């Protein structure tokens, strides 16, 4: 799993306010939930139906048994992975920074590195007409979603490296920073701004 952190030191974490919870509410990322919505139930039904055929073994099914096992295994694997991906992809405000977690990568961004936060619309940042036709069906339900844009002094790694581990729809296209499509965007932004302000007050006292 890839890991990246900006400014962690031994002992007390810089900018960490002991009055803040060690980890706040987890806000699931809508990209992985959209992937689950597209793939989970079709894969689950394939896995369940092929498993039922293998278990019940109706007459004449023996010749197709290897194919059924292969299809069922693939269905269960896709269903399990999409569910796991959706549970492992979230953003969370911690006492020592903003924690981004994806299935294969996690990133801790200290609040002092955050320049500003703002609200935007997913479709304005990534116009649907600029996307390949193969991605449009996936992105269309997210087109009018509100995203929380977090602008940074600089990215914690090069954009090319981050795109190896993260969806490029999480990276702000025009400024150093991230785009977080979450369902409760108002709650997330309020919590993030509160952590930022309290962390600043703690550092200056």
């Amino acid at each position: 799993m890839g890991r990246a952190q900006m400014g962690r030191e031994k002992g007390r974490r810089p900018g960490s306010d002991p009055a803040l919870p060690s980890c706040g509410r987890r806000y699931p990322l809508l990209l992985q939930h959209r992937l689950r919505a597209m793939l989970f139930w079709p894969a689950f039904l394939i896995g369940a139906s092929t498993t039922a055929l293998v278990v019940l073994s109706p007459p004449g099914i023996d010749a197709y048994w290897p194919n059924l096992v292969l299809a069922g295994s693939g269905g269960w694997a896709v269903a399990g992975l999409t569910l796991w991906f959706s549970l492992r992809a979230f953003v969370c405000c911690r006492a020592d920074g903003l924690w981004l977690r994806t299935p294969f990568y996690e990133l801790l961004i200290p609040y002092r590195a955050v320049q500003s936060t703002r609200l935007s619309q997913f479709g304005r940042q990534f116009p649907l007409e600029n996307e390949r036709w193969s991605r449009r069906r996936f992105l269309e339900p997210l087109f009018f979603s509100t995203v929380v844009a977090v602008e940074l002094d600089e990215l914690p790694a090069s954009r090319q490296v981050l795109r190896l581990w993260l969806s490029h729809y999480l990276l702000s296209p025009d400024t150093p920073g991230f785009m977080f499509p979450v369902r409760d965007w108002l709650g997330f932004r309020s919590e993030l701004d509160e952590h930022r302000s309290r962390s600043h007050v703690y550092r200056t006292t």
Side-chain angles (χ1 to χ4, degrees), residues 169-183:
Y169 298 113
L170 292 177
L171 298 173
S172 179
D174 49 3
T175 59
F178 294 91
M179 312 289 295
F180 296 117
V182 295
R183 192 175 305 278

Side-chain angles (χ1 to χ4, degrees), residues 1-4 84 88 99 101-107 165:
M1 175 187 291
R3 291 173 180 266
W84 182 67
R88 295 270 296 181
W99 182 29
R101 181 73 178 268
T102 63
F104 304 108
Y105 192 72
E106 60 179 292
L107 179 68
W165 297 100

Side-chain angles (χ1 to χ4, degrees), residues 74-130:
W76 287 121
V78 171
L81 284 174
T82 54
L83 180 61
W84 182 67
F85 284 177
S86 66
L87 295 176
R88 295 270 296 181
F90 57 84
V91 62
C92 174
C93 295
R94 297 188 355 180
D96 53 349
L98 181 62
W99 182 29
L100 170 62
R101 181 73 178 268
T102 63
F104 304 108
Y105 192 72
E106 60 179 292
L107 179 68
L108 183 65
I109 305 170
Y111 296 117
R112 66 175 180 273
V114 178
Q115 285 292 300
S116 64
T117 65
R118 60 183 173 86
L119 300 178
S120 185
Q121 193 177 75
F122 188 91
R124 291 182 179 177
Q125 299 298 318
F126 305 101
L128 201 60
E129 59 271 16
N130 294 345

Side-chain angles (χ1 to χ4, degrees), residues 35-176:
L35 182 66
R36 186 179 72 178
M38 284 188 65
L39 299 180
F40 176 79
W41 285 113
F44 178 85
L45 291 175
I46 291 173
S49 59
T50 53
T51 300
L53 288 173
V54 169
V55 171
L56 297 175
S57 190
I61 204 69
D62 292 346
Y64 303 100
W65 193 86
N67 292 334
L68 289 172
V69 171
L70 183 62
S73 300
W76 287 121
V78 171
L81 284 174
T82 54
L83 180 61
W84 182 67
F85 284 177
S86 66
L87 295 176
R88 295 270 296 181
F90 57 84
V91 62
C92 174
C93 295
R94 297 188 355 180
D96 53 349
L98 181 62
W99 182 29
L100 170 62
R101 181 73 178 268
T102 63
F104 304 108
Y105 192 72
E106 60 179 292
L107 179 68
L108 183 65
I109 305 170
Y111 296 117
R112 66 175 180 273
V114 178
Q115 285 292 300
S116 64
T117 65
R118 60 183 173 86
L119 300 178
S120 185
Q121 193 177 75
F122 188 91
R124 291 182 179 177
Q125 299 298 318
F126 305 101
L128 201 60
E129 59 271 16
N130 294 345
E131 300 295 330
R132 299 175 183 174
W133 67 268
S134 58
R135 294 180 179 175
R136 290 181 183 178
R137 183 186 172 196
F138 174 78
L139 294 174
E140 192 170 6
L142 303 175
F143 186 73
F144 295 104
S145 297
T146 299
V147 297
V148 179
V150 178
E151 298 181 0
L152 307 177
D153 292 329
E154 59 181 359
L155 291 172
S158 70
R159 190 172 290 267
Q160 290 75 16
V161 169
L162 290 175
R163 288 188 63 173
L164 290 175
W165 297 100
L166 301 173
S167 168
H168 81 276
Y169 298 113
L170 292 177
L171 298 173
S172 179
D174 49 3
T175 59

